[in-house]
Amino acid sequence: MKNPDQVVIVGGGTAGWMTASYLKAAFGDRLSVTLVESDKIGTIGVGEATFSDIRHFFEFLDLKEEDWMPACNATYKLAVRFEDWREPGHHFYHPFEQLSSVNGFPLTDWWLHSGPTERFDKDCYVMASLCDAGRSPRYLGGSLLEHDAVDSDDEPVGMTMSEYQGRTQFPYAYHFEAALLAKYLTGYSTDRGVRHVIDEVQDVLLDERGWIDHIVTKDHGEISGDLFIDCTGFRGLLLNKTLDVPFVSYQDTLPNDRAVALQVPLDMQQRGIRPCTTATAQDAGWIWTIPLFGRIGTGYVYAGDYCTADEAERRLREFVGPEAEDVEANHIRMRIGRSERSWKNNCVAVGLASGFVEPLESTGIFFIHHAVEQLVKYFPGGDWQPKLREGYNAAVANVMDGVREFLALHYRGAARNDTPYWKDAKTRPVPDALAERFERWQVQLPDSESVFPYYHGLPPFSYMCILLGTGGLRPSPSPALALTDDTAVRKEFAAIRDKARSLVDTLPSHYEYLAAMRT
Ligand code: FAD
């Protein structure tokens, strides 16, 4: 049988265009790609924060920051800043920074034993100080904040996220305007031969085996292909609606199923650009603040069982202040969970059609990036080997199931307990294995043996940050530390403090760096 070399992507949101551009970068003209998107059915209109592995995507496409960042009003993200998850006025950071270890114990364990201050994030990481001070991770000449941090020049070209895992943590991710990124990638893809059809898919026709034969569009007639990629967002038009793949809900563990979002133009020069995403806990969820070059993206993610859409919008407007008065709100219903399998027959769903968890750790775009990397890895041959599909489906399911566990820790771990929503967060069902992990992490901090065992993009140090920052589960230090010489650890805490001070003194402000990039 002929190798599948005709791909049809339905959907032109972030998922559709990331998929089209990645496939072109991977396979060039050996693969024909058609992307069909409707100009009547809008994209989700949010999705602006990423995590640090996203740089592999841009590098794979051979895109340079100086080119794509100004075009997408992009900024740097060094961490997620969590506000009020423990108590009002408290904040901590979950940074993109490798945690050091001393005498075989992670620095956070030493911090529990004898941390110099109340702030584990400032004692154990330099990024927390850079975020508080609003610093750029690069010097004006372009060099990275640490000489020993991995810069892309040192790496083989086209490295994927999972190949990279376990090597040095790259110190930042990006924020960008989703619509501008889709536009940028549209140009990239069409320049490389992707056929762009603006039309609405009205029907999806199957052959006698139940595989997709062709799609029917309103104005362009039938479009055939070998492999169909469903990027139609929460609609799941091809995979869920046509091929009847069931959806596995995560809502028992993660109840937030709605959001209301605003895009608020602001004078960022005057206000300054915090180099992090902020997640501020609210009575029935949390509000994100994503600083871009020229505006902020903000939204209240909440559970419909605890808060109405009107209450959520009112609270969000109060939170943002008068600058948002004339801005129209975007109310969104979220489908939380994943498709039972994301690849069935000759149809693969990528993006929201495949699965989604609330955006607390900015994992939506990471899921897309992971999915397209895996699609290239497991790309089918003429025999459509079922084992390739199974490999792909397991990898995609594991990533989402793992992130589900990580997010559940935020809610179980939050000391906040003042409304029915936060009280219920302490008793919501979680997978059995996770319930056991919660117990274990209170006597020994998470390590590679005790977190979700398959690749899901989150190393054990991320779990430690959330556990220590949210403050509700009270982990104890390893008893062995009481018997271990602490000379080296005292030096390590002092070295981090000195390094943070020196970086804050020498790095430019985030705004200054981004403004210079544009000139
Ligand atoms: P969509 O943007 O919904 O695009 C669907 C596309 O399908 C559109 O182009 C539409 O025209 C097309 N379409 C649908 N039906 C048809 C049809 N019949 N014919 C033709 N075309 C059709 N992710 C992050 O990584 N970071 C974040 O900070 C983040 N924040 C989020 C906040 C919220 C509230 C939500 C809900 C999501 C967030 N996400 C985030 C997830 C992120 O927005 C999505 O992963 C990303 O935008 C991909 O969406 P998509 O392309 O799958 O779907």
Side-chain angles (χ1 to χ4, degrees):
M1 270 190 292
K2 135 182 176 334
N3 278 335
D5 59 5
Q6 312 276 323
V7 170
V8 177
I9 299 171
V10 184
T14 307
W17 286 113
M18 280 181 72
T19 306
S21 50
Y22 197 91
L23 289 178
K24 270 292 162 190
F27 297 132
D29 291 341
R30 290 170 291 276
L31 192 76
S32 132
V33 179
T34 300
L35 186 145
V36 187
E37 68 172 317
S38 159
D39 58 359
K40 306 278 177 320
I41 304 172
T43 60
I44 193 87
V46 283
E48 301 179 325
T50 55
F51 67 74
S52 63
D53 291 312
I54 189 71
R55 78 188 175 98
H56 296 288
F57 177 82
F58 292 107
E59 281 166 14
F60 194 80
L61 269 56
D62 202 17
L63 294 175
K64 303 272 172 284
E65 286 187 352
E66 312 79 83
D67 299 329
W68 76 266
M69 284 185 71
C72 301
N73 286 339
T75 61
Y76 290 122
K77 169 182 172 185
L78 312 185
V80 182
R81 173 184 164 109
F82 289 90
E83 292 181 345
D84 305 346
W85 286 68
R86 184 187 284 237
E87 72 222 355
H90 179 267
H91 78 268
F92 72 95
Y93 293 97
H94 169 204
F96 298 116
E97 184 177 347
Q98 192 83 38
L99 181 69
S100 54
S101 67
V102 177
N103 295 337
F105 293 88
L107 198 57
T108 38
D109 205 351
W110 281 108
W111 180 85
L112 280 171
H113 175 259
S114 54
T117 75
E118 291 296 297
R119 291 282 302 271
F120 83 93
D121 52 350
K122 284 202 158 179
D123 290 343
C124 300
Y125 300 98
V126 298
M127 290 298 178
S129 301
L130 302 196
C131 288
D132 274 347
R135 290 293 180 262
S136 154
R138 287 189 182 269
Y139 288 97
L140 284 175
S143 59
L144 256 183
L145 80 172
E146 306 179 64
H147 296 302
D148 53 352
V150 164
D151 210 343
S152 45
D153 295 347
D154 306 335
E155 281 172 23
V157 174
M159 209 172 187
T160 61
M161 292 189 281
S162 33
E163 274 178 296
Y164 186 77
Q165 210 201 18
R167 298 167 68 129
T168 312
Q169 169 69 48
F170 194 70
Y172 62 76
Y174 306 104
H175 305 118
F176 46 67
E177 286 202 30
L180 292 182
L181 182 74
K183 191 169 158 209
Y184 194 85
L185 295 180
T186 306
Y188 177 99
S189 306
T190 51
D191 284 352
R192 285 160 183 76
V194 170
R195 182 180 164 220
H196 184 193
V197 177
I198 299 180
D199 205 341
E200 196 171 322
V201 174
Q202 296 187 313
D203 210 353
V204 182
L205 273 291
L206 305 182
D207 64 17
E208 64 288 350
R209 297 171 303 161
W211 290 42
I212 298 178
D213 186 73
H214 62 269
I215 53 175
V216 182
T217 60
K218 193 159 162 258
D219 298 322
H220 291 76
E222 295 179 0
I223 299 179
S224 311
D226 301 318
L227 178 68
F228 290 81
I229 305 194
D230 185 348
C231 295
T232 59
F234 287 134
R235 287 172 188 79
L237 176 66
L238 279 63
L239 187 82
N240 305 121
K241 293 224 172 79
T242 309
L243 293 179
D244 281 333
V245 171
F247 191 76
V248 182
S249 173
Y250 291 162
Q251 218 167 326
D252 53 347
T253 317
L254 300 173
N256 293 343
D257 58 353
R258 285 154 201 252
V260 50
L262 297 169
Q263 298 182 346
V264 189
L266 290 174
D267 179 347
M268 300 307 272
Q269 180 172 15
Q270 191 239 326
R271 181 189 158 106
I273 301 181
R274 222 180 229 167
C276 56
T277 305
T278 301
T280 309
Q282 299 295 314
D283 287 356
W286 57 278
I287 288 178
W288 80 78
T289 308
I290 296 178
L292 300 167
F293 201 90
R295 70 161 169 86
I296 58 160
T298 182
Y300 188 174
V301 173
Y302 61 99
D305 285 347
Y306 297 82
C307 178
T308 66
D310 286 347
E311 281 163 358
E313 183 175 335
R314 199 174 320 119
R315 175 62 197 127
L316 179 63
R317 288 187 183 282
E318 241 171 57
F319 182 85
V320 179
E323 288 98 340
E325 250 164 35
D326 300 326
V327 176
E328 200 183 328
N330 174 13
H331 285 268
I332 301 167
R333 273 174 182 266
M334 306 187 296
R335 185 175 76 152
I336 302 296
R338 64 170 168 83
S339 293
E340 191 183 79
R341 50 190 161 144
S342 289
W343 182 346
K344 181 177 175 185
N345 302 343
N346 61 341
C347 176
V348 181
V350 175
L352 299 174
S354 162
F356 176 64
V357 295
E358 59 169 277
L360 186 53
E361 289 280 356
S362 320
T363 44
I365 293 164
F366 163 67
F367 288 161
I368 298 170
H369 181 193
H370 176 257
V372 290
E373 278 191 4
Q374 299 302 306
L375 182 57
V376 167
K377 178 174 168 186
Y378 289 103
F379 204 81
D383 57 355
W384 290 85
Q385 177 52 250
K387 290 283 178 229
L388 289 176
R389 289 201 286 283
E390 285 165 24
Y392 177 90
N393 281 330
V396 166
N398 283 334
V399 159
M400 295 193 200
D401 290 352
V403 170
R404 170 199 194 176
E405 288 204 1
F406 182 56
L407 295 193
L409 171 64
H410 294 62
Y411 293 96
R412 183 61 64 89
R416 187 166 179 169
N417 199 15
D418 57 335
T419 64
Y421 172 90
W422 290 101
K423 285 187 170 60
D424 292 351
K426 310 299 175 284
T427 54
R428 265 179 213 124
V430 293
D432 290 346
L434 180 59
E436 280 174 30
R437 295 194 230 287
F438 285 151
E439 284 186 22
R440 177 162 170 184
W441 293 338
Q442 291 176 71
V443 293
Q444 188 180 50
L445 286 175
D447 61 14
S448 56
E449 303 297 317
S450 67
V451 300
F452 187 78
Y454 301 101
Y455 174 76
H456 59 293
L458 292 152
F461 86 77
S462 289
Y463 287 78
M464 292 184 210
C465 273
I466 302 306
L467 193 60
L468 296 182
T470 48
L473 298 170
R474 299 189 168 270
S476 319
S478 297
L481 295 183
L483 305 171
T484 308
D485 179 30
D486 68 353
T487 313
V489 84
R490 281 191 275 114
K491 279 194 191 141
E492 179 66 10
F493 282 131
I496 289 173
R497 194 178 53 237
D498 292 347
K499 187 170 169 187
R501 197 174 295 143
S502 141
L503 288 170
V504 167
D505 287 347
T506 55
L507 282 163
S509 80
H510 190 197
Y511 182 87
E512 193 184 356
Y513 184 85
L514 296 173
M517 189 193 263
R518 290 169 168 252
T519 51

